[in-house]
Amino acid sequence: MRFCDECGSMMHTEGDTWVCRSCENEEPRDSQAEAAMATQDVQRDGGAPAVADATQGSTETMQEPCPDEDCDGDRAYYEMMPKPGGSYEVRLFTCVECGYKWRES
């Protein structure tokens, strides 16, 4: 895979040339440089992803009513987590009284 030096877009090959679909920049292919490009056929399994816990390392609480029907708690620990892709953040809550967990985006 190669990225365009002019606009940063991903380039594709056409014969002996790399061509940018965005700005139409063309660069000659280099077989030695392409041989050095690393490819990975198998994705590594790093195990289960880490699960966020709003109580870990957090002593801050805020007034937030617990949505659990059996709990009358009105305070929760909270943690801000970025959404995948970085478009916005999600707030994770854990009820101080019962430990019920929920999120609010």
Side-chain angles (χ1 to χ4, degrees), residues 1-30 34:
M1 184 173 12
R2 182 168 173 88
F3 293 94
C4 180
D5 291 334
E6 299 295 319
C7 70
S9 296
M10 188 167 62
M11 300 178 83
H12 69 280
T13 58
E14 286 183 6
D16 292 338
T17 308
W18 286 99
V19 180
C20 177
R21 291 182 177 152
S22 297
C23 71
E24 299 181 13
N25 179 38
E26 294 185 6
E27 298 177 16
R29 290 178 69 178
D30 180 356
E34 289 178 32

Side-chain angles (χ1 to χ4, degrees), residues 28-41:
R29 290 178 69 178
D30 180 356
S31 59
Q32 288 180 339
E34 289 178 32
M37 290 181 187
T39 60
Q40 187 170 348
D41 296 330

Side-chain angles (χ1 to χ4, degrees), residues 82-96:
K83 285 273 270 191
S87 57
Y88 55 94
E89 290 186 329
V90 172
R91 199 169 7 185
L92 304 174
F93 293 101
T94 302
C95 178
V96 172

